[in-house]
mmCIF file of all heavy atoms in Angstrom:
data_model
loop_
_atom_site.group_PDB
_atom_site.id
_atom_site.type_symbol
_atom_site.label_atom_id
_atom_site.label_comp_id
_atom_site.label_asym_id
_atom_site.label_seq_id
_atom_site.Cartn_x
_atom_site.Cartn_y
_atom_site.Cartn_z
ATOM 1 N N GLY B 278 -28.252 8.376 -11.085
ATOM 2 C CA GLY B 278 -28.452 7.905 -12.479
ATOM 3 C C GLY B 278 -28.100 6.433 -12.630
ATOM 4 O O GLY B 278 -27.604 6.045 -13.753
ATOM 5 N N LEU B 279 -28.240 5.636 -11.645
ATOM 6 C CA LEU B 279 -27.814 4.228 -11.634
ATOM 7 C C LEU B 279 -29.002 3.502 -11.111
ATOM 8 O O LEU B 279 -29.717 3.881 -10.178
ATOM 9 C CB LEU B 279 -26.656 4.024 -10.675
ATOM 10 C CG LEU B 279 -25.761 2.840 -10.748
ATOM 11 C CD1 LEU B 279 -25.088 2.783 -12.122
ATOM 12 C CD2 LEU B 279 -24.770 2.892 -9.621
ATOM 13 N N PRO B 280 -29.383 2.320 -11.688
ATOM 14 C CA PRO B 280 -30.428 1.526 -11.171
ATOM 15 C C PRO B 280 -30.179 1.085 -9.687
ATOM 16 O O PRO B 280 -29.010 0.658 -9.420
ATOM 17 C CB PRO B 280 -30.490 0.290 -12.037
ATOM 18 C CG PRO B 280 -29.675 0.568 -13.253
ATOM 19 C CD PRO B 280 -28.711 1.667 -12.835
ATOM 20 N N LEU B 281 -31.112 1.421 -8.827
ATOM 21 C CA LEU B 281 -31.065 0.933 -7.415
ATOM 22 C C LEU B 281 -32.228 0.069 -7.175
ATOM 23 O O LEU B 281 -33.324 0.375 -7.524
ATOM 24 C CB LEU B 281 -31.059 2.043 -6.465
ATOM 25 C CG LEU B 281 -29.921 3.105 -6.586
ATOM 26 C CD1 LEU B 281 -30.136 4.300 -5.616
ATOM 27 C CD2 LEU B 281 -28.593 2.436 -6.315
ATOM 28 N N THR B 282 -31.957 -1.116 -6.592
ATOM 29 C CA THR B 282 -33.072 -2.088 -6.341
ATOM 30 C C THR B 282 -33.203 -2.310 -4.849
ATOM 31 O O THR B 282 -32.289 -2.741 -4.194
ATOM 32 C CB THR B 282 -32.760 -3.418 -7.000
ATOM 33 O OG1 THR B 282 -32.521 -3.144 -8.401
ATOM 34 C CG2 THR B 282 -33.918 -4.366 -6.847
ATOM 35 N N ARG B 283 -34.432 -2.169 -4.326
ATOM 36 C CA ARG B 283 -34.708 -2.549 -2.952
ATOM 37 C C ARG B 283 -34.798 -4.041 -2.914
ATOM 38 O O ARG B 283 -35.615 -4.658 -3.552
ATOM 39 C CB ARG B 283 -35.952 -1.884 -2.402
ATOM 40 C CG ARG B 283 -36.175 -2.287 -0.972
ATOM 41 C CD ARG B 283 -37.402 -1.559 -0.383
ATOM 42 N NE ARG B 283 -37.486 -1.953 1.034
ATOM 43 C CZ ARG B 283 -38.133 -1.334 1.984
ATOM 44 N NH1 ARG B 283 -38.721 -0.144 1.699
ATOM 45 N NH2 ARG B 283 -38.187 -1.782 3.170
ATOM 46 N N ILE B 284 -34.004 -4.633 -2.042
ATOM 47 C CA ILE B 284 -33.918 -6.126 -1.948
ATOM 48 C C ILE B 284 -34.424 -6.606 -0.575
ATOM 49 O O ILE B 284 -34.593 -7.765 -0.382
ATOM 50 C CB ILE B 284 -32.504 -6.717 -2.223
ATOM 51 C CG1 ILE B 284 -31.496 -6.176 -1.240
ATOM 52 C CG2 ILE B 284 -32.116 -6.448 -3.703
ATOM 53 C CD1 ILE B 284 -30.141 -6.887 -1.263
ATOM 54 N N GLY B 285 -34.636 -5.723 0.348
ATOM 55 C CA GLY B 285 -35.037 -6.159 1.694
ATOM 56 C C GLY B 285 -35.092 -5.095 2.687
ATOM 57 O O GLY B 285 -35.091 -3.883 2.359
ATOM 58 N N THR B 286 -35.184 -5.492 3.923
ATOM 59 C CA THR B 286 -35.394 -4.515 5.088
ATOM 60 C C THR B 286 -34.574 -4.922 6.274
ATOM 61 O O THR B 286 -34.354 -6.082 6.533
ATOM 62 C CB THR B 286 -36.891 -4.597 5.476
ATOM 63 O OG1 THR B 286 -37.641 -4.318 4.293
ATOM 64 C CG2 THR B 286 -37.253 -3.554 6.587
ATOM 65 N N VAL B 287 -34.109 -3.892 6.935
ATOM 66 C CA VAL B 287 -33.357 -4.103 8.175
ATOM 67 C C VAL B 287 -34.287 -4.429 9.361
ATOM 68 O O VAL B 287 -35.348 -3.733 9.489
ATOM 69 C CB VAL B 287 -32.484 -2.854 8.547
ATOM 70 C CG1 VAL B 287 -31.825 -3.000 9.879
ATOM 71 C CG2 VAL B 287 -31.431 -2.577 7.510
ATOM 72 N N THR B 288 -34.033 -5.434 10.075
ATOM 73 C CA THR B 288 -34.946 -5.938 11.173
ATOM 74 C C THR B 288 -34.200 -5.855 12.499
ATOM 75 O O THR B 288 -32.949 -5.924 12.584
ATOM 76 C CB THR B 288 -35.368 -7.373 10.900
ATOM 77 O OG1 THR B 288 -34.148 -8.243 10.933
ATOM 78 C CG2 THR B 288 -36.093 -7.566 9.630
ATOM 79 N N ALA B 289 -35.019 -5.796 13.567
ATOM 80 C CA ALA B 289 -34.435 -5.834 14.978
ATOM 81 C C ALA B 289 -33.922 -7.229 15.257
ATOM 82 O O ALA B 289 -32.898 -7.385 15.975
ATOM 83 C CB ALA B 289 -35.521 -5.418 15.951
ATOM 84 N N GLU B 290 -34.600 -8.220 14.779
ATOM 85 C CA GLU B 290 -34.207 -9.632 15.039
ATOM 86 C C GLU B 290 -32.819 -9.883 14.294
ATOM 87 O O GLU B 290 -32.748 -9.680 13.145
ATOM 88 C CB GLU B 290 -35.230 -10.562 14.441
ATOM 89 C CG GLU B 290 -35.031 -12.016 14.808
ATOM 90 C CD GLU B 290 -35.949 -12.920 13.985
ATOM 91 O OE1 GLU B 290 -36.769 -12.399 13.282
ATOM 92 O OE2 GLU B 290 -35.771 -14.183 14.066
ATOM 93 N N PRO B 291 -31.844 -10.348 15.077
ATOM 94 C CA PRO B 291 -30.558 -10.561 14.426
ATOM 95 C C PRO B 291 -30.541 -11.667 13.341
ATOM 96 O O PRO B 291 -31.503 -12.454 13.346
ATOM 97 C CB PRO B 291 -29.629 -10.977 15.532
ATOM 98 C CG PRO B 291 -30.407 -11.106 16.780
ATOM 99 C CD PRO B 291 -31.871 -10.768 16.464
ATOM 100 N N GLY B 292 -29.608 -11.708 12.498
ATOM 101 C CA GLY B 292 -29.476 -12.734 11.551
ATOM 102 C C GLY B 292 -29.924 -12.245 10.171
ATOM 103 O O GLY B 292 -30.606 -11.272 10.042
ATOM 104 N N LEU B 293 -29.703 -13.092 9.161
ATOM 105 C CA LEU B 293 -29.984 -12.734 7.822
ATOM 106 C C LEU B 293 -31.056 -13.789 7.358
ATOM 107 O O LEU B 293 -30.773 -15.001 7.334
ATOM 108 C CB LEU B 293 -28.750 -12.858 6.953
ATOM 109 C CG LEU B 293 -28.702 -12.358 5.586
ATOM 110 C CD1 LEU B 293 -29.413 -11.017 5.388
ATOM 111 C CD2 LEU B 293 -27.172 -12.213 5.171
ATOM 112 N N HIS B 294 -32.314 -13.304 7.046
ATOM 113 C CA HIS B 294 -33.295 -14.175 6.650
ATOM 114 C C HIS B 294 -33.649 -13.980 5.263
ATOM 115 O O HIS B 294 -33.896 -12.861 4.720
ATOM 116 C CB HIS B 294 -34.569 -13.831 7.532
ATOM 117 C CG HIS B 294 -34.275 -13.935 8.985
ATOM 118 N ND1 HIS B 294 -34.230 -15.189 9.660
ATOM 119 C CD2 HIS B 294 -33.965 -13.044 9.880
ATOM 120 C CE1 HIS B 294 -33.906 -14.914 10.903
ATOM 121 N NE2 HIS B 294 -33.701 -13.633 11.092
ATOM 122 N N TRP B 295 -33.544 -15.073 4.456
ATOM 123 C CA TRP B 295 -33.905 -15.003 3.045
ATOM 124 C C TRP B 295 -35.298 -15.557 2.828
ATOM 125 O O TRP B 295 -35.641 -16.662 3.371
ATOM 126 C CB TRP B 295 -32.833 -15.992 2.265
ATOM 127 C CG TRP B 295 -31.443 -15.793 2.638
ATOM 128 C CD1 TRP B 295 -30.683 -16.381 3.640
ATOM 129 C CD2 TRP B 295 -30.643 -14.742 2.041
ATOM 130 N NE1 TRP B 295 -29.459 -15.866 3.640
ATOM 131 C CE2 TRP B 295 -29.325 -14.908 2.720
ATOM 132 C CE3 TRP B 295 -30.757 -13.817 1.048
ATOM 133 C CZ2 TRP B 295 -28.255 -14.059 2.376
ATOM 134 C CZ3 TRP B 295 -29.643 -13.007 0.729
ATOM 135 C CH2 TRP B 295 -28.446 -13.080 1.346
ATOM 136 N N VAL B 296 -36.096 -14.888 2.038
ATOM 137 C CA VAL B 296 -37.396 -15.342 1.803
ATOM 138 C C VAL B 296 -37.671 -15.333 0.318
ATOM 139 O O VAL B 296 -37.053 -14.503 -0.491
ATOM 140 C CB VAL B 296 -38.493 -14.456 2.484
ATOM 141 C CG1 VAL B 296 -38.299 -14.531 4.053
ATOM 142 C CG2 VAL B 296 -38.462 -12.984 2.063
ATOM 143 N N ASP B 297 -38.600 -16.261 -0.139
ATOM 144 C CA ASP B 297 -38.951 -16.264 -1.552
ATOM 145 C C ASP B 297 -40.096 -15.414 -1.827
ATOM 146 O O ASP B 297 -40.562 -14.633 -0.938
ATOM 147 C CB ASP B 297 -39.213 -17.722 -2.018
ATOM 148 C CG ASP B 297 -40.424 -18.298 -1.349
ATOM 149 O OD1 ASP B 297 -41.232 -17.505 -0.680
ATOM 150 O OD2 ASP B 297 -40.558 -19.560 -1.416
ATOM 151 N N ALA B 298 -40.601 -15.429 -3.074
ATOM 152 C CA ALA B 298 -41.665 -14.502 -3.490
ATOM 153 C C ALA B 298 -42.905 -14.644 -2.588
ATOM 154 O O ALA B 298 -43.641 -13.623 -2.405
ATOM 155 C CB ALA B 298 -41.975 -14.715 -4.964
ATOM 156 N N ALA B 299 -43.091 -15.838 -2.131
ATOM 157 C CA ALA B 299 -44.358 -16.109 -1.243
ATOM 158 C C ALA B 299 -44.072 -15.768 0.164
ATOM 159 O O ALA B 299 -44.953 -15.982 1.065
ATOM 160 C CB ALA B 299 -44.705 -17.594 -1.434
ATOM 161 N N GLY B 300 -42.897 -15.301 0.584
ATOM 162 C CA GLY B 300 -42.564 -14.995 1.920
ATOM 163 C C GLY B 300 -42.035 -16.177 2.682
ATOM 164 O O GLY B 300 -41.820 -16.106 3.945
ATOM 165 N N ALA B 301 -41.847 -17.354 2.046
ATOM 166 C CA ALA B 301 -41.389 -18.551 2.722
ATOM 167 C C ALA B 301 -39.857 -18.418 2.931
ATOM 168 O O ALA B 301 -39.170 -17.920 2.077
ATOM 169 C CB ALA B 301 -41.751 -19.774 1.979
ATOM 170 N N THR B 302 -39.372 -18.889 4.077
ATOM 171 C CA THR B 302 -37.988 -18.829 4.455
ATOM 172 C C THR B 302 -37.149 -19.775 3.550
ATOM 173 O O THR B 302 -37.577 -20.951 3.314
ATOM 174 C CB THR B 302 -37.735 -19.218 5.925
ATOM 175 O OG1 THR B 302 -38.434 -18.160 6.705
ATOM 176 C CG2 THR B 302 -36.263 -19.239 6.185
ATOM 177 N N LEU B 303 -36.089 -19.285 3.017
ATOM 178 C CA LEU B 303 -35.151 -20.102 2.238
ATOM 179 C C LEU B 303 -33.944 -20.385 3.064
ATOM 180 O O LEU B 303 -33.398 -19.474 3.830
ATOM 181 C CB LEU B 303 -34.723 -19.434 0.921
ATOM 182 C CG LEU B 303 -35.811 -19.213 -0.088
ATOM 183 C CD1 LEU B 303 -35.230 -18.384 -1.260
ATOM 184 C CD2 LEU B 303 -36.252 -20.625 -0.624
ATOM 185 N N SER B 304 -33.230 -21.534 2.885
ATOM 186 C CA SER B 304 -32.006 -21.773 3.552
ATOM 187 C C SER B 304 -30.847 -21.482 2.664
ATOM 188 O O SER B 304 -30.685 -22.136 1.584
ATOM 189 C CB SER B 304 -31.943 -23.247 4.095
ATOM 190 O OG SER B 304 -30.719 -23.519 4.508
ATOM 191 N N ILE B 305 -30.019 -20.541 3.007
ATOM 192 C CA ILE B 305 -28.803 -20.160 2.165
ATOM 193 C C ILE B 305 -27.569 -20.370 3.036
ATOM 194 O O ILE B 305 -27.519 -19.906 4.117
ATOM 195 C CB ILE B 305 -28.849 -18.640 1.750
ATOM 196 C CG1 ILE B 305 -30.168 -18.293 1.144
ATOM 197 C CG2 ILE B 305 -27.634 -18.334 0.918
ATOM 198 C CD1 ILE B 305 -30.341 -18.508 -0.343
ATOM 199 N N PRO B 306 -26.684 -21.242 2.546
ATOM 200 C CA PRO B 306 -25.484 -21.469 3.358
ATOM 201 C C PRO B 306 -24.731 -20.189 3.678
ATOM 202 O O PRO B 306 -24.700 -19.240 2.846
ATOM 203 C CB PRO B 306 -24.596 -22.369 2.412
ATOM 204 C CG PRO B 306 -25.533 -22.864 1.336
ATOM 205 C CD PRO B 306 -26.639 -21.912 1.252
ATOM 206 N N GLU B 307 -24.108 -20.149 4.798
ATOM 207 C CA GLU B 307 -23.425 -18.927 5.229
ATOM 208 C C GLU B 307 -22.203 -18.606 4.404
ATOM 209 O O GLU B 307 -21.773 -17.389 4.275
ATOM 210 C CB GLU B 307 -22.940 -19.143 6.752
ATOM 211 C CG GLU B 307 -23.964 -18.697 7.717
ATOM 212 C CD GLU B 307 -23.315 -18.029 8.941
ATOM 213 O OE1 GLU B 307 -22.254 -17.452 8.793
ATOM 214 O OE2 GLU B 307 -23.951 -18.137 10.026
ATOM 215 N N HIS B 308 -21.664 -19.662 3.792
ATOM 216 C CA HIS B 308 -20.389 -19.535 3.040
ATOM 217 C C HIS B 308 -20.414 -18.378 2.054
ATOM 218 O O HIS B 308 -21.225 -18.278 1.210
ATOM 219 C CB HIS B 308 -20.220 -20.864 2.367
ATOM 220 C CG HIS B 308 -19.054 -20.799 1.382
ATOM 221 N ND1 HIS B 308 -17.825 -21.285 1.705
ATOM 222 C CD2 HIS B 308 -19.033 -20.328 0.109
ATOM 223 C CE1 HIS B 308 -16.991 -21.020 0.660
ATOM 224 N NE2 HIS B 308 -17.707 -20.596 -0.323
ATOM 225 N N ALA B 309 -19.463 -17.522 2.219
ATOM 226 C CA ALA B 309 -19.207 -16.485 1.215
ATOM 227 C C ALA B 309 -17.776 -16.742 0.611
ATOM 228 O O ALA B 309 -17.091 -17.538 1.087
ATOM 229 C CB ALA B 309 -19.276 -15.109 1.768
ATOM 230 N N TYR B 310 -17.509 -16.024 -0.430
ATOM 231 C CA TYR B 310 -16.171 -16.070 -0.985
ATOM 232 C C TYR B 310 -15.147 -15.606 0.062
ATOM 233 O O TYR B 310 -15.263 -14.596 0.675
ATOM 234 C CB TYR B 310 -16.066 -15.156 -2.223
ATOM 235 C CG TYR B 310 -14.700 -15.107 -2.807
ATOM 236 C CD1 TYR B 310 -14.332 -16.069 -3.753
ATOM 237 C CD2 TYR B 310 -13.842 -14.108 -2.470
ATOM 238 C CE1 TYR B 310 -13.051 -16.019 -4.285
ATOM 239 C CE2 TYR B 310 -12.567 -13.993 -3.002
ATOM 240 C CZ TYR B 310 -12.273 -14.974 -3.897
ATOM 241 O OH TYR B 310 -10.911 -14.968 -4.507
ATOM 242 N N ARG B 311 -14.161 -16.479 0.295
ATOM 243 C CA ARG B 311 -13.127 -16.160 1.238
ATOM 244 C C ARG B 311 -11.755 -16.270 0.650
ATOM 245 O O ARG B 311 -11.474 -17.331 -0.002
ATOM 246 C CB ARG B 311 -13.277 -17.132 2.401
ATOM 247 C CG ARG B 311 -14.530 -16.998 3.200
ATOM 248 C CD ARG B 311 -14.608 -15.732 4.027
ATOM 249 N NE ARG B 311 -15.912 -15.441 4.530
ATOM 250 C CZ ARG B 311 -16.403 -15.898 5.615
ATOM 251 N NH1 ARG B 311 -15.775 -16.796 6.291
ATOM 252 N NH2 ARG B 311 -17.677 -15.569 6.025
ATOM 253 N N HIS B 312 -10.906 -15.320 0.917
ATOM 254 C CA HIS B 312 -9.602 -15.369 0.263
ATOM 255 C C HIS B 312 -8.650 -16.498 0.751
ATOM 256 O O HIS B 312 -7.744 -16.837 0.051
ATOM 257 C CB HIS B 312 -8.920 -13.996 0.415
ATOM 258 C CG HIS B 312 -9.556 -12.900 -0.319
ATOM 259 N ND1 HIS B 312 -9.502 -12.924 -1.682
ATOM 260 C CD2 HIS B 312 -10.316 -11.857 0.032
ATOM 261 C CE1 HIS B 312 -10.163 -11.806 -2.140
ATOM 262 N NE2 HIS B 312 -10.657 -11.223 -1.059
#
Side-chain angles (χ1 to χ4, degrees):
Chain B
L279 196 65
L281 298 177
T282 305
R283 179 173 182 159
I284 60 170
T286 304
V287 175
T288 62
E290 187 192 354
L293 192 39
H294 304 282
W295 309 94
V296 297
D297 66 12
T302 296
L303 293 174
S304 171
I305 308 271
E307 270 216 29
H308 171 94
Y310 176 85
R311 296 288 167 82
H312 290 291

